[in-house]
Structure formats: structure tokens, C-alpha cells
Amino acid sequence: MSDAPLRAQPLGDSAATITFGAVRSAELLRSVHAAAAAISEASLGVVQDIVPAYLSVAVYYDALEISYDEIARVLLSICRSVPVSSDRPARGREHEIPVVYDGSDLPGVAAATGLSAEEVVARHSGRTYSVDLIGFVPGFAYLSELDPSLHLSRRAQPRPRVPAGSVAIAGPQTAVYPLDTPGGWHILGHTQTLMFDPDNTPPALLQAGDSVRFVRVG
Amino acid sequence: MISITKAPPYLTVQDQGRPGSRASGVPRGGAMDRFALRTLNAIVGNPFGAAGLEWALGGGVTRFDSACAFAFGGAMVAATLAENVVHPFTTLYAHVGDELKIERFTSGRFLYLAFSGGIEVPEVLRSRSTYLPAHFGGLGGRMIARGNTLPLGAYPPAVPRNGFTPPSELLPRYETSVVRVTRGTHAGLFGDGGWTALTETEFTVGMASDRTGYKLTGQALSHAFGDLPSDPSCEGAIQIPSDGNPIVLMADAPTVGGYPKIAVVSEADLPLVAQLNPGERLTFTPVSIDESQHALRQRTSDLNLIRSAGAASA
């Protein structure tokens, strides 16, 4: 991506972001994930964390060991050497997550989309999703892209508590709630798969760049 | 071992946090005022990363079930050890059965207690800090309650003498409410007017303030671009939600977010923000990233001087 207009900026004293573009797209996201992987493979001793997002990757570093100017130079050099995304094969692990489609919003989603509940389930479980981003709470993976017929805005009234394991949709994305949290997504079902376990390394089952299929088990 | 015989409304185990798991959505976490806890660790001969207690919202009593050296500091409190008045940022030796009474807070928000050997709860993701939202770390992922006991680690080799206190110029200072900031990743979206408003307005800490973030009021910083695609965030980032009132992200803030970030508080000054109570005021003053990182290195150098002075007194 040597022609891409990469931009480095400080994010406080101990992080730098490298921004790849201004408009969100699947291609830009692949570039960000490829850059995050390349930075990780460089195994820089001063780097503590690498967090890819939609437009940028942030690298958290030990500011007592290296200045912003120095780390920015190193990171830009690594990112510029990453092949353009379309030349690079998909990376990341593949996951299958068993789902019982018994969610309390399934009838409502069927009504709102004009599909049968059976068809909603078929369209949700019938494709492979990619992990765009991890965030919101530990282990929460934003997966895309949902079948266009299932794109709905969030619930008008978020629920104060969505149980861990809930499989839900909102907009073009789907996700599994890793913890009991408030939430406004439409719940289609649930899984027993543990999405976040602080005793594991890494603690989140899904990482940015992985791919996911939901398998109907009920 | 120590026992909590009267718990304050908020009490958790904290250390310097758990960098290394942000890609899994785990915030750094750790002490809200990391410099206070590091200073106290130096004063009791611990490594800077040792775990201590983070204490807020009122008084309480701790009993020493084994003899140890300890120190307290951060928020200003009235405190006694075995009925004698004791002072902050000072090495104190407790005997078995002594009680440390925190009577009341006089200023500040988070009090820290460090004990020689550190609080030895199990590490989770390489840290002992409590992360309440996901119920892990610290004492079973929860707040410490009356009757709980906390194990201490092995006594460190060079504990400063009883009564040791570092030169005052090396200690954390909380007198100023002027907080240094660097430009955030979206500062440009707010234009010169937004930046001027941020750095020339006196803001007030709102009631909605906790370990995740402090909401400020003073002047709404309007912007016309709505929410952005989620992007990485950090402790100290000042984000502007749709109502325009800034939120300073604190230790437990999510790793990514969709609100634009106009500025980031210098790490050296983050304790000044952390120690503010709702209703208290602050202003932001701009510095370059070089100046901000220099301030961070200066604070770290001060901590090393405290450690050397303490070791020399041992």
C-alpha cells in the first residue's frame, strides 16, 4: 500500500495511530488488519498492544523507552511495506459457533423484515462473517456483513441487561454478547460458547480479522 | 495479612493495570491515580507494579494481622494508626493487631494504601487490578467488603525506615487544576474555535463520573459530523458526544469508541483529573507531544529518586 495516504498521529503519550483513509470500507479494513498483523510480526519490544479499528490501527507503546517521533517512523515504515490488501490472502482463524435460535426478538425481526422466522434463521446462519472490530466490552466482536434483508436499526429501548451468550443483530452487523451488559441489538438466539475468558490467552475467543459461521443447533 | 473491619463504600485492589489485552477489548484499568500508588510502593520498598488498595467515598478501618510497613496517600484524609495521627506519603510500621482508621476525606477522591510485599491476590491477565465490569481481577472480581482479608506478599529486601518521607518536591502535587493536553486524533474536525473553547473554558466535573470516565460541563463543543466509525481510544482521551459536553476517559474506558476525540490529557496530569470530585473545576492547557512525554519521563525520574532515597534510609 505504498501509494496509500498513511497518516501517523499521537494518541496521548503512550499510543500512536496510523490512519489508512477517511471512509469505512471492507477493503480499507483488510488493509488495517494486514498492517496490524505486520506490526505484530515485527515483535517490537516497546509495543504493548495493537488495536485495529475501521480506519486506523493504534499501537500502544512504552513512552519511557521510545519517543512518539521514533515509534511513528518505525510504524509508518512497517505499514508502507505491507502488500496491498487485495494481494494478501485472508488471515485469521475460522470459528464455528453453535446457536440455538430461540431469541426473544426473533418474531419481531421476522415481522419487521417480512420474512418467516425460519427464513431469518436461514439467512443469519447461511454465511461467513468477518470480525471487523473488538470493543464495547471485553470480547465483543462486531461481525459483518449481515444479509441485506436483515439490516435493522437498533431497538428503540435498549435492554438494561442482555445475557452473556446472546446472539444479536443491528444494522449490517451481528455479534455475540460476551458478558451480561445493557444492549440495544435484536436477539435472535443464544450460544453456550464462551466468548471471553480472562484465564485464556488471548482472553477473547474472536480476534479482528478472524472469520465466523453460526451453526444452527436448535 | 490485613483485614477490613469497616469497609468504605468503594474499595478495590488495584495495580498499574493490564496492558497487553486491549486487542481483546480489555482496557488497561489499574489505579485511577497510578502515580500515587507507584509513589507509595516506592515508600514501602515495593516494586512500582505491586498491588495496593484503592479506597473512596468515605472512611473505614483496616486491621493488621501481621506486622508490616505501609503508606497511604492520594486523596487527603484524616487518619490514625493505633490511635496516633499519621501522615500521607510516609513509611509507617504497623504491629500485629494495630488498626488504621481512615476517619474522613478532606480533599481528593481516591486514596491509595500500599503494604510492604504488596497485596497478593492471584494475577489475571498479568495484573492484580480489579475490573468490576467483567468481574475479574482483585478479590474475586468484586469490591472488598467488611470482614474480607487480603494476603500480603513476601517482605521486600529494602524497606525504608519508620517515618521516612521523600523530599516534598518529588511527591505528587494536586494543588493545580490546570491540566495539560495534547491534540487528539480528531482535533482538526473541531476547528480553531473548538480548540479555543476546550483550552479557554473552565469545566466542572459532573455527577456522571466514575472509573470509566468523567463527564464535564462548562461549554458544549458542538460539531456537525455525528458519530464516527469506532476507533481506538486511550485513558485520558477527551471525547465529545453528541450533546457537546466533554467526557474524559478514565482507567476502565472501553478500548474503542465512536465519539470524536478532541484532545488527550497528559499522563503526568491524569492524577489531577482522577482526584477531582463532582462539582470541582479544571482547565486544559495545550502542550506538544514532546512536552507531554517529557513531563511523563520527569515524573518517572522523580519516582526513581524516591526509591533511591527510601533505600538509603533502610
Side-chain angles (χ1 to χ4, degrees), chain A residues 7 9-15 17 24 48-58 60-61 63-69 133-140 179-180 196 198-204 206-207, chain B residues 18-28 38 123-126 131 133-136 182-187 229-234 237 254-256 261 264-268 289-290 292-293 296-297 300:
Chain A
R7 187 164 64 126
Q9 287 175 287
L11 176 66
D13 293 334
S14 300
T17 63
R24 181 173 160 178
Q48 297 171 334
D49 280 298
I50 302 166
V51 178
Y54 291 111
L55 306 178
S56 64
V57 57
Y60 300 76
Y61 61 95
L64 301 179
E65 298 294 328
I66 191 169
S67 71
Y68 166 73
D69 286 340
L133 180 79
I134 306 289
F136 171 51
V137 292
F140 192 100
L179 309 168
D180 292 354
F196 180 81
D199 294 329
N200 280 349
T201 307
L206 306 180
Q207 298 285 311
Chain B
R18 47 173 61 81
S21 298
R22 285 184 177 99
S24 288
V26 180
R28 180 191 175 107
R38 288 164 83 182
E123 288 194 355
V124 179
L125 297 171
R126 294 181 294 173
Y131 182 53
H135 315 293
F136 67 79
T182 54
R183 285 174 72 81
T185 41
H186 306 113
S230 286
D231 82 338
S233 197
C234 69
T255 50
V256 298
K261 287 173 275 295
V264 184
V265 173
S266 295
E267 283 181 43
I289 189 67
D290 283 349
S292 189
Q293 291 190 325
L296 175 64
R297 294 189 187 104
T300 308

